[in-house]
Amino acid sequence: MGTSEEMKLINRGLEDEMVVWGYRPCLWKKILVGVGVVCSGGLLLLLLYWLPEWGVKSTCTQTSLRDAQTLLLRTTDEFRQWFRAKVQVMLAPGLRPFSDVDQKLNTPLPNGDRDHGVQSVHEGPHGKFLYSEDVQIRYFSHHSATYYWNDVTQDFESYQGLEDVKASCAHIHLDHSSGLSKTLQDYRRLFFGENEIAVRVPSLFKLLIKEVLNPFYIFQLFSVALWSAENYYYYASAIVFMSVISIATSLYTIKKQYVMLHDMVAAHSVVRVSVCRGNKGMFHIEQAMSTELVPGDVIIIPTNGMIMPCDAVLFHGTCVVNESMLTGESVPVTKTSLPSSGEEASEIYSTEDHKRHTLFCGTHVIQTRFYAGELVKAVVVRTGFSTEKGQLVRSILYPKPTDFKLYRDAYLFLLCLVGVAGIGFIYTIVLSIISKVPAKTIIIESLDIVTITIPPALPAAMTAGIVYAQRRLKRIGIFCISPQRINMCGQLNVVCFDKTGTLTEDGLDLWGVQRAVNGSFSPPQSEASEVNLVNTSFVACMATCHSLTKIEGELSGDPLDLKMFAATGWILEEATEEETTLHNRLMPTVVRPPKRSVSGANQNNSAVHDMELSESLPYEIGIVRQFPFSSALQRMSVVVRRLGEKHMDAFMKGAPEVVANLCKPHTVPQSFTGILEGYTGQGFRVIALAHRQLESKLSWHKVQSLGRDAIETDMEFLGLIIMQNKIKQQTAGVLCELRQANIRTLMVTGDNMLTAISVARDCGMVRPQERVIIVDAAPPKDFYPASITWHYTDNPTQTVGDSQSTEINLEEGTYHFAVSGKAFSIINEHFPHMVPKVVLRATVFARMAPDQKTQLVEILQSMDYIVGMCGDGANDCGALKRAHSGISLSELEASVASPFTSSTSNISCVPNLIREGRAALITSFCVFKFMALYSIIQYISVILLYWILSNLGDFQFLFIDIVIILIIAFTMSLNPSWKELVWRRPPSSLISGPLLFSVLTQILTCLVFQVLAFLLVQKQSWYETWTPQSDACNVSRFSLFEILNETTPHDHKNIRNYENTTLFYVSSFQYLAVAIVFSKGKPFRQPSYKNWPFMLSCIGLYSFLLFIMLYPVPAIDSFLEIVCVPHDWRVTLVVIVMANAAVSLMLEIFLLDIVLWKLVFRGNQGANHPRDPSSTETPQSANNRWGSCCLSRLFCQRNKPPKVLYRHLALELQEDPDWPPKHCTTTVARDPLSCGSAAL
């Protein structure tokens, strides 16, 4: 590997971060590789194809990236994938897409028939253009992304779009609002390419070649060639038939997925758009295809909406957008224009921070709003695969490998089988040489032992269980787009839940309102539409501070806004297109109360508070400007004007703590904190309202250019809206079921901390006797370092002063941390060593932003948790994608954010998915163990027969592999999941004590009984070297077999003999015995007797084998090349196979499942959990404990440290007397640059 100077890191800090090395071709290495390919018959070429790093290093020499012609890429994640890329060169008049090259650009050569004195014509990666002064630019493409060489940084970099220029919002208004000239657009297209998310559907021939070059099929091809050389045509034909079916099915599935993805992406991806063409301060509008767009183009959003063909930032007008394609939630979202002045305008634009102003590719613009006939305009920010939709498609096209221990261990197990095959290979060669077997026979038989040891049907059999599980999930309304993750669901040990819409109902019910008057709270009122409230600023704020819009005459928008507006009883009216064209300052949206309510209010209210609005009629309020809700700011606001008033008003709603901080202190009641905690402690969702009268001099145009910071300050506190968010009926039961199954549950929400804690208690996530410790953190300020404060909440079941009870609870570990999003980010930044300690016992995460949810999932995964995430798909997309198992409750079946999508809108799908995952995982283990034993049993039979220079016959192989193995392997996978979740989780590794014990004891049992039968048959009095004239049967059957034997040709391969017949019968029953033993039911699957296809298969095969063994049929014996043996020996064989089955069953069921699992393996797992000192020990438990101790020492399991990090950390914290920190203590960072801390 190269030194640090010879390698570079690209996409630093991103999900697709890679290390890159440069290479150039080496002639003498290529010659050597060519010779090796010829000598190896092409096998070396296949090896270099499978291992790209070997292919590059064996044909190239390392060089600097600047001079490289070939690049070697390696991902920096845990998978360490290798890729190879070819460096290409293009000519362009500038080095970067946003270079000032207007003077250099000439008109592109139309049809190639005009000459402007241009020096060269060059076809770059995205088109053919003609320029006068060209520079060479080196680039390479990888996974639908293009990387260009940067001479300044001496590295490759990718261009995302307009964000690369780091322009402020004001700068975008100033420099990017007039559009691009045609020549500048063509120049940028050299770098950004066509604006399309091109999902190329590969031809069947390409897919076939790629599939056939799979190592498994190459091995099968080798096996078929070998069997054909041995004249095993029937078995070779059967394997070819199975392979063709498998390849055809795989090609059909892959092709179908490509076509579906192509159709999904291609829908509405190419449209005609109106583009502004800028030239020397002037611009005109022209029609163009969306594929021609580049970052910097200005497009017109039509009135009736459109499907966005790119990511664009809105800088003029307002849009209502359906973003369900990206978020999975079909609630319309209002997008406003990018701020052009104020503090916000100075911020650097980014799609992440300015989502509320950005129209994303693939989203549906439902309608637009504009004033005085002005157009709604947006600047193209990103195109093609750089867009949000493009990134999603890339993640589908190039998914990361499924990192699951089962698959890694399966490869290790196959390597062990290869080792066993190697032993048999050497054994066969040595034995054949001693016996003076011809060289051709030695080569064929020694290679044949390799094909016997590695089962050809293993991948198909392993896949069957997952396919069956996927079908069962679909029947219960759970749709899966990543079947490999089903097995992972069986290992989930922590599940994160969103709150609103997941644990609680989607809709919020208005419980009541509590106004603030003269700096104090008035009594709460249940109805906001009461007559005495109609003319108040409080109700005016409720009626105007929202993002609702009318679509086809129906109010649409956020459910909370809908519920809040409906509570007022007001009416919302939107201006028509004609009205906005005719009237320059007509408000686009007007709200007004019913006339009867207004007149009644005027009669009853003789003295109105000075905060209340004027009572002159008509009473209509127009919304002048809207600042949409921001998750980061936790608030939204509007600027309104009442009809007839000279001044405007600002209304704001949001999180109570945030709103109170933006209000004048004297308007916030002193009892604010206590009242808020009272409501949130009962589980209510509380929203605060505020109002401000703006200066009369503010005009409509001035308001449009103001930043929200100028509006949202010096507000007057209006009061609280109390919303009731009911817990779903199924929530408590599901969480209780998960707790009993030893699956940890977390709440990750954007809601208030106390509300989240209350909901956690109500739904059983935090039990009544358990203590909640709120973790609060403050960032470094002035000369004070960052700090963490630990607050103990009041426990409903005990008094606050009951310190003794608190101590006992904490010693027993019955405490939970509750962390806010702010504290989470501070601890991550300033206390990184505390993060695992806090996350280990944290149950409630409140006020969490979407990216923080994703970060939490990553932290849990770094602690060796197998993480599930369940959300409604709105703010949880990142976490759903990042988790091992993401479950979206969105009704949109085609959600691309989550591997699993449930059609039911409650969390009952979670235990169902885990149950099916556990069943699929156990099925995978059962099938793998069965296929491994099948190959070993057959291997033992062949090794023993090689001792007498014999082998199994062609039709014997065919009967075993087709009739027994395939039928059993595919039917034993049909067991449905067990009806309830148990505390025990299935093993995740093949390299574990119970599984290794199971496999090794069964191998030993089969070996003993085959050797026993092999030796016993040779000790029989009638035994002799079999010939066609041999007669070991009784006299009554002499004439029949004499006729049969006389017509039988001479057996050159020595297939017909007594040892072969004996081992064929014994091994056939062994396959069935291990299938029944390994096909386990409870506690993860339904019992095997309920799997009627499997039971019928086993009974049918047992009956058939017993029948032909006890009552031989000449035609069947002739077909299977079985010889006649005495009836007494047949009875003896029945006894042998019955004893074999009994021993296998005793070892697996009694010794492994009952004794060893209970006393050794389960005891070792329980060592990580503290034992209750108050529990009394019964004589039975004492015996179990002593038995466990002795057997644990015997199996080297005693005091074995836990393998997973979270258990190791839990044991460490149990021994720490200072953990958890005491009530109201503060942990301070010792040094802002260090991770140290000290408790005060």
Side-chain angles (χ1 to χ4, degrees):
M1 202 56 63
T3 62
S4 59
E5 289 77 23
E6 296 169 326
M7 72 176 194
K8 292 285 186 179
L9 206 61
I10 58 176
N11 300 330
R12 187 184 297 272
L14 300 179
E15 188 177 352
D16 53 352
E17 183 181 78
M18 292 181 291
V19 181
V20 57
W21 290 268
Y23 287 84
R24 55 182 173 81
C26 178
L27 182 59
W28 66 267
K29 285 188 175 183
K30 285 187 173 182
I31 294 173
L32 282 180
V33 169
V35 173
V37 168
V38 173
C39 294
S40 63
L43 288 179
L44 179 59
L45 193 62
L46 278 173
L47 187 65
L48 298 183
Y49 169 78
W50 294 329
L51 301 170
E53 70 273 27
W54 288 19
V56 172
K57 292 176 183 179
S58 60
T59 58
C60 304
T61 55
Q62 195 164 355
T63 184
S64 64
L65 287 179
R66 181 183 177 84
D67 303 321
Q69 298 179 35
T70 299
L71 298 176
L72 187 60
L73 309 167
R74 192 201 68 199
T75 59
T76 57
D77 55 21
E78 66 272 24
F79 305 108
R80 301 278 175 137
Q81 289 181 284
W82 293 89
F83 301 98
R84 177 178 186 162
K86 179 118 179 123
V87 178
Q88 301 182 59
V89 178
M90 75 171 184
L91 298 178
L95 290 171
R96 294 176 184 82
F98 298 103
S99 300
D100 187 12
V101 293
D102 282 336
Q103 302 302 320
K104 299 180 182 180
L105 290 173
N106 289 328
T107 305
L109 191 67
N111 302 323
D113 57 359
R114 291 178 60 192
D115 188 0
H116 295 280
V118 182
Q119 296 175 0
S120 62
V121 179
H122 187 81
E123 188 166 355
H126 308 299
K128 187 174 181 180
F129 299 91
L130 187 63
Y131 300 104
S132 58
E133 296 179 14
D134 292 331
V135 291
Q136 283 193 347
I137 299 178
R138 305 170 72 252
Y139 69 93
F140 74 93
S141 297
H142 174 68
H143 284 181
S144 300
T146 306
Y147 300 84
Y148 298 89
W149 177 253
N150 187 329
D151 268 327
V152 178
T153 60
Q154 291 290 296
D155 199 359
F156 284 97
E157 60 184 10
S158 63
Y159 300 120
Q160 299 299 315
L162 203 60
E163 292 171 285
D164 295 336
V165 300
K166 306 292 183 187
S168 66
C169 299
H171 186 264
I172 289 177
H173 274 277
L174 186 64
D175 295 339
H176 298 277
S177 59
S178 59
L180 304 176
S181 64
K182 182 65 176 174
T183 50
L184 189 56
Q185 184 196 53
D186 291 340
Y187 166 69
R188 288 190 182 176
R189 200 179 303 120
L190 274 176
F191 295 90
F192 293 108
E194 297 288 328
N195 175 36
E196 62 175 341
I197 303 171
V199 178
R200 312 292 181 196
V201 181
S203 65
L204 279 175
F205 179 75
K206 285 185 178 179
L207 289 175
L208 177 64
I209 295 299
K210 188 175 181 180
E211 189 74 13
V212 168
L213 291 181
N214 183 292
F216 170 71
Y217 289 118
I218 295 298
F219 177 74
Q220 280 200 334
L221 183 64
F222 163 76
S223 302
V224 167
L226 182 66
W227 294 327
S228 299
E230 294 183 271
N231 296 326
Y232 287 168
Y233 296 118
Y234 295 105
Y235 186 53
S237 301
I239 291 298
V240 168
F241 176 76
M242 283 195 302
S243 298
V244 168
I245 295 296
S246 176
I247 290 173
T249 305
S250 179
L251 289 183
Y252 172 77
T253 305
I254 295 171
K255 182 85 171 180
K256 183 181 177 182
Q257 289 174 346
Y258 269 110
V259 170
M260 287 178 61
L261 184 60
H262 175 270
D263 293 344
M264 183 189 81
V265 172
H268 312 292
S269 63
V270 179
V271 294
R272 293 196 68 84
V273 292
S274 299
V275 184
C276 293
R277 289 278 175 241
N279 189 12
K280 298 180 180 179
M282 303 294 291
F283 71 89
H284 65 281
I285 298 174
E286 66 178 41
Q287 296 294 310
M289 297 305 295
S290 59
T291 53
E292 300 175 14
L293 296 176
V294 297
D297 270 328
V298 173
I299 59 174
I300 309 297
I301 310 297
T303 308
N304 57 351
M306 65 185 296
I307 302 292
M308 288 300 297
C310 58
D311 288 353
V313 58
L314 200 63
F315 72 90
H316 203 285
T318 306
C319 292
V320 179
V321 185
N322 184 340
E323 293 188 326
S324 60
M325 196 286 299
L326 291 178
T327 65
E329 186 169 311
S330 56
V331 173
V333 179
T334 301
K335 302 283 185 173
T336 58
S337 59
L338 196 69
S340 58
S341 61
E343 190 175 332
E344 271 193 285
S346 61
E347 296 177 1
I348 301 298
Y349 171 78
S350 73
T351 52
E352 186 64 33
D353 297 334
H354 297 87
K355 282 184 176 180
R356 61 186 183 276
H357 310 299
T358 305
L359 307 172
F360 293 104
C361 179
T363 59
H364 183 199
V365 178
I366 302 171
Q367 65 183 31
T368 61
R369 296 177 182 175
F370 48 88
Y371 303 91
E374 295 180 358
L375 299 173
V376 178
K377 300 177 184 176
V379 180
V380 176
V381 178
R382 295 185 297 197
T383 59
F385 278 100
S386 297
T387 62
E388 285 288 316
K389 182 179 178 181
Q391 296 291 347
L392 279 173
V393 173
R394 279 188 69 200
S395 68
I396 298 171
L397 280 175
Y398 313 107
K400 285 191 174 183
T402 305
D403 180 30
F404 195 42
K405 199 164 175 49
L406 169 66
Y407 303 126
R408 296 200 304 269
D409 291 345
Y411 287 119
L412 290 176
F413 210 93
L414 286 176
L415 285 177
C416 293
L417 291 180
V418 171
V420 173
I423 295 172
F425 182 82
I426 297 170
Y427 163 85
T428 305
I429 292 176
V430 173
L431 190 63
S432 300
I433 292 174
I434 294 173
S435 305
K436 298 180 180 180
V437 176
K440 179 184 176 182
T441 307
I442 293 177
I443 294 172
I444 291 176
E445 290 189 346
S446 57
L447 291 175
D448 191 34
I449 203 73
V450 177
T451 65
I452 289 170
T453 314
I454 301 173
L458 178 61
M462 291 281 286
T463 306
I466 297 175
V467 172
Y468 297 149
Q470 188 176 8
R471 289 179 181 174
R472 289 194 297 267
L473 286 172
K474 191 173 183 179
R475 282 199 293 268
I476 59 176
I478 300 175
F479 302 93
C480 173
I481 61 173
S482 181
Q484 294 82 4
R485 291 181 183 258
I486 296 177
N487 274 342
M488 284 190 173
C489 297
Q491 273 295 307
L492 290 181
N493 48 26
V494 61
V495 182
C496 305
F497 292 96
D498 181 35
K499 184 180 78 69
T500 307
T502 303
L503 297 175
T504 59
E505 296 288 352
D506 277 319
L508 292 168
D509 297 321
L510 182 71
W511 180 86
V513 298
Q514 190 159 10
R515 293 195 301 149
V517 181
N518 295 328
S520 62
F521 280 115
S522 58
Q525 296 173 270
S526 59
E527 296 290 337
S529 57
E530 293 180 7
V531 175
N532 64 327
L533 295 180
V534 171
N535 282 1
T536 62
S537 297
F538 188 92
V539 172
C541 183
M542 291 179 65
T544 57
C545 198
H546 53 70
S547 57
L548 301 179
T549 186
K550 278 194 172 182
I551 299 175
E552 297 180 356
E554 292 290 330
L555 269 182
S556 183
D558 184 87
L560 187 148
D561 287 346
L562 284 169
K563 188 70 68 172
M564 187 178 70
F565 184 78
T568 65
W570 285 35
I571 300 167
L572 182 142
E573 296 176 349
E574 289 184 332
T576 63
E577 182 180 344
E578 293 78 11
E579 288 173 329
T580 55
T581 305
L582 292 173
H583 304 285
N584 189 35
R585 296 190 182 181
L586 186 71
M587 311 306 174
T589 302
V590 173
V591 294
R592 59 177 177 80
K595 290 183 178 180
R596 186 170 50 188
S597 300
V598 177
S599 61
N602 293 334
Q603 293 172 4
N604 295 333
N605 290 350
S606 57
V608 181
H609 188 264
D610 57 359
M611 289 177 59
E612 297 175 355
L613 302 172
S614 171
E615 298 171 6
S616 59
L617 296 176
Y619 190 57
E620 292 183 354
I621 301 175
I623 301 173
V624 177
R625 190 175 180 195
Q626 182 184 100
F627 298 98
F629 177 78
S630 166
S631 298
L633 300 176
Q634 298 179 8
R635 64 180 186 268
M636 79 162 291
S637 59
V638 291
V639 177
V640 304
R641 171 177 277 170
R642 179 178 167 180
L643 192 62
E645 293 285 352
K646 294 182 180 180
H647 63 83
M648 298 185 189
D649 294 273
F651 290 114
M652 178 172 65
K653 73 171 183 183
E657 309 92 330
V658 174
V659 172
N661 287 334
L662 295 172
C663 291
K664 297 174 183 176
H666 70 274
T667 66
V668 181
Q670 292 183 352
S671 59
F672 168 79
T673 303
I675 293 290
L676 177 62
E677 289 182 354
Y679 285 128
T680 55
Q682 297 176 59
F684 291 112
R685 184 169 182 181
V686 183
I687 299 165
L689 305 182
H691 162 259
R692 176 187 168 194
Q693 181 175 309
L694 301 179
E695 297 82 359
S696 300
K697 63 181 180 181
L698 280 179
S699 65
W700 182 89
H701 287 291
K702 182 68 174 175
V703 167
Q704 299 304 315
S705 61
L706 279 177
R708 70 187 302 165
D709 291 336
I711 300 292
E712 297 171 343
T713 183
D714 291 332
M715 309 288 284
E716 296 179 353
F717 190 78
L718 291 179
L720 303 173
I721 300 175
I722 301 99
M723 310 292 286
Q724 191 173 17
N725 195 196
K726 296 178 182 177
I727 295 174
K728 290 183 179 179
Q729 184 178 357
Q730 300 85 358
T731 297
V734 170
L735 294 179
C736 179
E737 185 179 5
L738 294 177
R739 177 190 285 272
Q740 291 174 350
N742 194 29
I743 296 172
R744 184 182 166 198
T745 55
L746 308 180
M747 181 192 298
V748 190
T749 178
D751 208 342
N752 175 277
M753 171 68 78
L754 295 178
T755 301
I757 293 174
S758 174
V759 171
R761 287 193 182 278
D762 291 343
C763 67
M765 196 174 283
V766 176
R767 288 183 287 187
Q769 73 275 14
E770 294 175 335
R771 175 76 64 177
V772 175
I773 304 173
I774 295 179
V775 182
D776 198 8
K781 189 176 182 181
D782 299 330
F783 298 103
Y784 296 97
S787 61
I788 304 174
T789 307
W790 314 85
H791 299 285
Y792 286 32
T793 63
D794 294 338
N795 195 323
T797 62
Q798 59 193 34
T799 61
V800 178
D802 192 359
S803 59
Q804 184 179 358
S805 177
T806 301
E807 292 294 330
I808 292 173
N809 276 338
L810 294 182
E811 285 178 7
E812 292 178 357
T814 53
Y815 66 91
H816 302 262
F817 288 129
V819 187
S820 66
K822 176 186 173 184
F824 182 76
S825 62
I826 293 171
I827 294 172
N828 263 317
E829 183 177 357
H830 300 284
F831 301 87
H833 70 292
M834 295 282 287
V835 172
K837 294 182 181 180
V838 172
V839 170
L840 182 70
R841 296 309 303 249
T843 299
V844 176
F845 292 87
R847 297 295 189 206
M848 295 285 279
D851 60 323
Q852 290 178 322
K853 294 182 180 182
T854 307
Q855 195 175 3
L856 173 63
V857 170
E858 292 173 344
I859 291 170
L860 288 167
Q861 289 173 334
S862 70
M863 296 170 65
D864 293 339
Y865 279 108
I866 307 297
V867 186
M869 175 72 197
C870 183
D872 58 4
N875 298 320
D876 312 309
C877 290
L880 288 170
K881 286 178 64 180
R882 179 70 66 184
H884 292 109
S885 173
I887 312 152
S888 172
L889 300 187
S890 167
E891 293 181 0
L892 298 176
E893 185 178 319
S895 173
V896 293
S898 174
F900 300 95
T901 303
S902 173
S903 59
T904 57
S905 58
N906 59 69
I907 63 171
S908 61
C909 60
V910 175
N912 289 336
L913 182 59
I914 296 175
R915 273 194 291 269
E916 289 298 341
R918 290 183 172 186
L921 185 58
I922 287 298
T923 297
S924 296
F925 282 122
C926 293
V927 170
F928 193 91
K929 291 197 298 181
F930 171 68
M931 297 301 288
L933 259 294
Y934 142 64
S935 63
I936 293 297
I937 291 171
Q938 198 169 79
Y939 172 84
I940 294 171
S941 301
V942 172
I943 287 292
L944 290 173
L945 290 175
Y946 275 5
W947 184 260
I948 59 169
L949 302 181
S950 180
N951 199 353
L952 291 173
D954 191 6
F955 290 103
Q956 289 174 341
F957 275 123
L958 195 66
F959 176 80
I960 291 170
D961 292 329
I962 304 297
V963 179
I964 297 180
I965 301 304
L966 284 186
I967 291 177
I968 294 298
F970 284 103
T971 56
M972 75 186 301
S973 304
L974 289 170
N975 290 44
S977 61
W978 185 244
K979 56 188 175 183
E980 59 187 38
L981 287 176
V982 296
W983 180 86
R984 194 172 108 201
R985 277 190 298 274
S988 62
S989 171
L990 284 168
I991 316 299
S992 63
L995 290 175
L996 286 179
F997 179 85
S998 172
V999 171
L1000 293 177
T1001 51
Q1002 294 301 325
I1003 289 175
L1004 188 62
T1005 302
C1006 294
L1007 174 64
V1008 167
F1009 279 94
Q1010 281 205 50
V1011 171
L1012 176 66
F1014 183 79
L1015 296 177
L1016 275 179
V1017 72
Q1018 294 177 344
K1019 300 292 184 183
Q1020 299 304 307
S1021 57
W1022 46 264
Y1023 175 81
E1024 63 178 358
T1025 301
W1026 189 89
T1027 65
Q1029 287 73 38
S1030 296
D1031 176 31
C1033 297
N1034 55 55
V1035 179
S1036 64
R1037 300 189 179 184
F1038 173 75
S1039 58
L1040 175 66
F1041 281 98
E1042 184 177 21
I1043 297 170
L1044 180 64
N1045 291 336
E1046 286 178 355
T1047 60
T1048 304
H1050 181 64
D1051 187 7
H1052 297 286
K1053 296 181 181 178
N1054 191 24
I1055 300 299
R1056 295 173 180 272
N1057 54 66
Y1058 300 119
E1059 291 90 345
N1060 171 284
T1061 300
T1062 298
L1063 290 183
F1064 171 76
Y1065 282 133
V1066 171
S1067 64
S1068 296
F1069 281 103
Q1070 284 180 339
Y1071 299 129
L1072 295 175
V1074 295
I1076 293 172
V1077 165
F1078 286 157
S1079 185
K1080 296 180 180 179
K1082 187 178 176 180
F1084 303 116
R1085 304 196 305 168
Q1086 293 286 351
S1088 292
Y1089 62 79
K1090 291 189 177 182
N1091 181 358
W1092 60 266
F1094 176 71
M1095 293 305 298
L1096 286 179
S1097 301
C1098 289
I1099 293 170
L1101 287 169
Y1102 259 117
S1103 302
F1104 175 77
L1105 287 170
L1106 282 172
F1107 177 77
I1108 66 172
M1109 187 167 69
L1110 294 175
Y1111 304 98
V1113 179
I1116 296 176
D1117 286 357
S1118 174
F1119 177 79
L1120 293 176
E1121 300 179 272
I1122 298 172
V1123 300
C1124 183
V1125 293
H1127 189 266
D1128 291 343
W1129 180 241
R1130 297 176 186 274
V1131 174
T1132 304
L1133 287 180
V1134 172
V1135 174
I1136 291 174
V1137 298
M1138 294 291 286
N1140 187 351
V1143 171
S1144 294
L1145 201 63
M1146 290 287 289
L1147 286 172
E1148 187 74 15
I1149 304 300
F1150 177 74
L1151 186 60
L1152 176 66
D1153 289 352
I1154 298 178
V1155 178
L1156 290 181
W1157 180 264
K1158 184 177 180 181
L1159 298 182
V1160 182
F1161 305 119
R1162 183 181 175 185
N1164 185 57
Q1165 287 188 345
N1168 298 326
H1169 302 279
R1171 189 170 63 91
D1172 187 359
S1174 62
S1175 61
T1176 57
E1177 188 173 51
T1178 63
Q1180 179 63 39
S1181 63
N1183 291 336
N1184 288 345
R1185 186 165 57 84
W1186 285 107
S1188 175
C1189 178
C1190 297
L1191 288 171
S1192 293
R1193 291 184 184 278
L1194 177 64
F1195 285 89
C1196 303
Q1197 296 279 334
R1198 190 67 176 166
N1199 296 326
K1200 194 173 181 180
K1203 294 180 180 180
V1204 290
L1205 291 178
Y1206 70 88
R1207 283 184 177 168
H1208 186 75
L1209 180 60
L1211 291 177
E1212 284 184 358
L1213 293 180
Q1214 282 182 5
E1215 306 299 325
D1216 188 351
D1218 297 324
W1219 191 264
K1222 305 302 180 186
H1223 179 47
C1224 287
T1225 57
T1226 302
T1227 304
V1228 180
R1230 292 176 181 171
D1231 191 312
L1233 300 177
S1234 70
C1235 300
S1237 64
L1240 297 180

